[in-house]
Each structure stands twice: as structure tokens, then as C-alpha cells.
Amino acid sequence: MRVAVAGGGWYGCHIASSLKAHGVSVDLFEKNDCLFSEASGNNQFRLHQGLHYARSAQTRYQSRDGYHRFAERYPKLSTPVENNIYLVPKEASLIDFDTYFSIMLSSGISIEKIPLKSIDHIDAGRFEGAVRCQERVVLTSAARGYFTKRLNGTVNLNHAVTEVQQRDGHVWVDGVAYDHFIDATWGALPSASGESGSVYFEPTLLLYYRLREDLSAPFPAITLVDGDLWSIYPTEDPGVFTLSSVTHTPLGRYENKSRAYERLAAVDANLIDEKRRSMEAEVHPYMPGFKETFTFVGPQFAIKTKPKGLSENRACGVAANGRCFNVQSGKIDNIFYATDRILGALL
Ligand SMILES: Cc1cc2nc3c(=O)[nH]c(=O)nc-3n(C[C@H](O)[C@H](O)[C@H](O)COP(=O)(O)OP(=O)(O)OC[C@H]3O[C@@H](n4cnc5c(N)ncnc54)[C@H](O)[C@@H]3O)c2cc1C
């Protein structure tokens, strides 16, 4: 069997690698000059357990299960976060702390309540409650290296797939016949599965900050839930964190990915300054010492493809149309969900 995969991010690489492990002949096409060059290399790098998603059971369950599979399958591609805290603010959260806690507990996610007074760096009076949970940081550089080696001979860099046609018992990808085609471009191609209009594209801006070196204890990962809130999360680079804001990270909402790329290309220094001021102002009431604790390093850009709807569903899905599969990526740890469906259909 001969399969073509478009997209050299987490989904395309893991799917191609799993097919290869089953003896399938795979060609992976990536339009840029290296793997993990778009969202997979530019995100918050959180291996989710599901705590971000109080409003979507499907997303919580996929993340909870994917988290454990990821840590087991790729033990060298993530590292534990020493002190990972989710906080429910008093006024700004969509749900109260007890509701949040019950949802997570009943979802089988292992959490512990922690006293607000025991958490450094925050204004404890602004919160209703806090939980600690084990989560991990995805080690993107190691992942890029791993898949570059593992997929040696399979990857075609600088090749943007432009034409996919099903005819004569094959699928023709840029004029070459394959048995199957998998679109793992996170929505960049007109959907080969026939489904369209159910997602939108959101260009994003996260900010990198470096932690002051003389702090005595490790700085915790801090995530405020649930709603239009913010989080500070470590990266693979010790001392460097990302700041992400549900309100200020999105740079618009577009019906197709090419318009989202154009929006990113038009970002200038003024916009970055403006966003930085807004994000720091948003954090300040909850963490008054933020600006003394961190130094701004620079911006990070990417594009999210999101299902329409208000429940914040970030679950992964795979749609099939004849010989073509279209992957709607969820979180990074949902790669197993997508791959199981494709292997189940093909092998
Ligand atoms: C700001 C932000 C924060 C996030 N934070 C987290 C997080 O903390 N934890 C988490 O689990 N997930 C997070 N995500 C989601 C995560 O990044 C995605 O789930 C994941 O990267 C999707 O992987 P992918 O391979 O589907 O997409 P991508 O990484 O976008 O890969 C798609 C690839 O397809 C290529 N491509 C596009 N068009 C073509 C073409 N025509 N031919 C060939 N190749 C093409 C692109 O160049 C790209 O490399 C975040 C995303 C963003 C944007």
C-alpha cells in the first residue's frame, strides 16, 4: 500500500511514522523547509490532561487519555512541570471553583486542592480556589530531531501539495498515484474529505518571557480558568515561559487559512507592543510582580484551526471521503486518537 501524507507537524509526522512502522510505503509532503515549522513548533507546549476544557467532555477525555499515551510512547519528548497550578478567579471565571473541581474530578483527572496562601507570586484574595495537577512540557526540538531521523527517506520538504484528485481507483497527489491520501495540514488544503465550513482560522500571538535568575524557588506554571483568561507556562528552554491570553492572543478570525497567513505577514512592531501592554495589564491584578519577575523576550506566531461553536471543543476528528482522510487536529496528545482511526480504516 502507498500512502501520501500532507503536513509535517505533530499529526502528519506521527501518522506517517505509525504507518511506516506497519510496513506501509509513505511519502510525507511538507511545504516549508523543516518539520514542526508551523503550529507544532509554535504553541504553548503544554501536554494537556484536560484541565483547560471544563466545557467540553470530549476534549477532556481525549487529552486525559492522550496525555498518558504520549508520556509512555514518547518519554523523551516531554518533561514534567514541577509545580503546575490552575486557579479559578473570583469574578472573571464562567464557573465557580466547586463546579470546576467537580467536573475535573468526575472526569478522572488526578488533581489536588491547594491552599491559595501557599502559592507564591499571586494576589490570593482575587481567587476562589486552586488545584495542582501533573502536566508536562513538550520538547519540540527533540521531537523535530526524532521525526527527522525516524522519517528519513519519507519526508519531502519544500513541497506544497496543490492537487488531490480521486479517479481510476487511486488518489492522485500532484500527479502521482497513491492508494490513500491523508490531509494533516490542519485545514490548509481545500478539504479532500468533502466537509467544509465547520472550522475557522485564528492567527495567534504568544509572548516569550525570561524569568529573573535570582528567584529562590522554581516559578510555577499558572493557568486561570474558566473563560477569557490567561496562562504562563514553561518551555523547553529553562527560565523561558510563554504568556498566552484568550482575549489578546487571537489576531482575527478567518474563513480560510491563506487569509490567516496574510494577517500574520502584516503584523508589525506597533501591534506587538500594543498586545504586550494589554497582556501585561491583564496579568497585573492577579500577579502584581509580573513585570519585575519577567523580561520580555519576543513574540511567537502561529495559526489555530478551530471548530465553530461556543463549547470550546478542541477534540480531534478524522473525516473520510473515499481514499482521502482529513484530520481535524485537537491537542498535541490527540495524535493517537487520529492515528488509531486511520490505521483502523487502512490496515
Ligand atoms: C498559540 C497556540 C497554542 C497552542 N497550545 C497548545 C498546547 O499548549 N498544547 C497542545 O497540545 N496544543 C496546543 N496547540 C495546538 C497544537 O499546536 C496543534 O494541535 C498541533 O500543532 C497541530 O498539529 P498539526 O500537525 O495538525 O498542524 P501543524 O503543526 O500546523 O502542521 C501542519 C503542517 O502542514 C504544512 N502544510 C500546509 N499546507 C501544506 C501543503 N499544501 N502541502 C504540504 N504541507 C502543507 C504546514 O507547513 C505545517 O507544517 C496550540 C496551538 C496554537 C496555535
Side-chain angles (χ1 to χ4, degrees):
M1 190 192 307
R2 219 175 153 211
V3 176
V5 178
W10 266 110
Y11 280 74
C13 287
H14 179 70
I15 291 165
S17 165
S18 304
L19 286 168
K20 215 177 156 184
H22 283 81
V24 175
S25 164
V26 186
D27 285 329
L28 186 145
F29 298 102
E30 165 53 49
K31 77 172 166 61
N32 296 326
D33 61 6
C34 73
L35 299 176
F36 291 75
S37 54
E38 299 209 343
S40 293
N42 297 284
N43 60 72
Q44 201 185 30
F45 313 117
R46 181 195 303 256
L47 197 60
H48 282 267
Q49 279 246 49
L51 283 98
H52 235 98
Y53 298 98
R55 280 166 283 151
S56 173
Q58 199 188 2
T59 313
R60 278 198 305 286
Y61 299 149
Q62 281 191 12
S63 280
R64 179 200 60 194
D65 298 346
Y67 176 87
H68 295 288
R69 286 184 76 178
F70 190 101
E72 195 176 292
R73 170 78 186 272
Y74 294 124
K76 294 186 180 152
L77 303 188
S78 70
T79 189
V81 176
E82 198 158 320
N83 192 12
N84 184 45
I85 299 170
Y86 282 74
L87 287 142
V88 176
K90 272 182 183 154
E91 283 153 25
S93 174
L94 294 174
I95 54 178
D96 64 17
F97 179 70
D98 285 342
T99 306
Y100 179 77
F101 188 74
S102 317
I103 291 170
M104 294 307 150
L105 212 57
S106 66
S107 301
I109 298 169
S110 175
I111 48 176
E112 53 162 332
K113 277 189 196 176
I114 49 169
L116 289 167
K117 290 259 155 54
S118 69
I119 307 169
D120 292 336
H121 308 289
I122 61 159
D123 178 352
R126 288 195 167 257
F127 296 97
E128 236 191 272
V131 297
R132 184 179 286 122
C133 173
Q134 183 62 258
E135 282 184 321
R136 300 173 72 90
V137 177
V138 177
L139 301 175
T140 308
S141 310
R144 188 181 287 116
Y146 171 86
F147 284 110
T148 301
K149 208 164 152 192
R150 166 104 188 98
L151 295 172
N152 186 21
T154 301
V155 177
N156 302 272
L157 296 173
N158 300 307
H159 182 137
V161 169
T162 54
E163 193 181 59
V164 180
Q165 286 182 349
Q166 298 197 55
R167 62 180 154 83
D168 310 329
H170 286 94
V171 52
W172 298 77
V173 179
D174 292 340
V176 177
Y178 290 89
D179 297 301
H180 297 280
F181 171 69
I182 296 159
D183 175 358
T185 63
W186 211 12
L189 287 171
S191 177
S193 73
E195 209 183 285
S196 65
S198 56
V199 297
Y200 65 94
F201 300 90
E202 187 181 275
T204 57
L205 167 72
L206 295 195
L207 301 179
Y208 285 110
Y209 285 85
R210 184 173 293 281
L211 189 62
R212 231 178 54 202
E213 275 169 16
D214 58 340
L215 290 181
S216 51
F219 196 87
I222 298 276
T223 304
L224 271 58
V225 281
D226 176 46
D228 293 352
L229 295 159
W230 54 268
S231 52
I232 297 173
Y233 204 73
T235 67
E236 64 184 16
D237 187 351
V240 175
F241 287 64
T242 52
L243 172 61
S244 169
S245 155
V246 177
T247 306
H248 302 296
T249 285
L251 300 176
R253 179 177 169 137
Y254 298 90
E255 288 299 314
N256 62 62
K257 206 164 186 176
S258 39
R259 295 297 307 281
Y261 284 123
E262 281 167 23
R263 177 69 190 96
L264 283 187
V267 170
D268 60 15
N270 288 339
L271 180 71
I272 297 168
D273 268 1
E274 192 188 303
K275 287 281 183 183
R276 179 184 159 191
R277 275 197 298 275
S278 304
M279 282 160 82
E280 289 177 358
E282 190 184 17
V283 173
H284 181 77
Y286 301 98
M287 194 181 273
F290 178 82
K291 284 213 248 178
E292 289 73 51
T293 313
F294 286 98
T295 325
F296 178 61
V297 176
Q300 178 215 80
F301 301 104
I303 298 173
K304 277 184 190 171
T305 307
K306 289 180 162 179
K308 291 176 180 165
L310 293 176
S311 73
E312 293 294 303
N313 183 341
R314 298 286 174 272
C316 170
V318 175
N321 173 31
R323 295 179 171 276
C324 296
F325 294 87
N326 178 265
V327 178
Q328 167 55 37
S329 310
K331 297 280 122 184
I332 293 166
D333 48 21
N334 301 158
I335 48 175
F336 304 100
Y337 178 92
T339 308
D340 286 353
R341 260 120 210 102
I342 289 168
L343 293 185
L346 296 191
L347 303 177

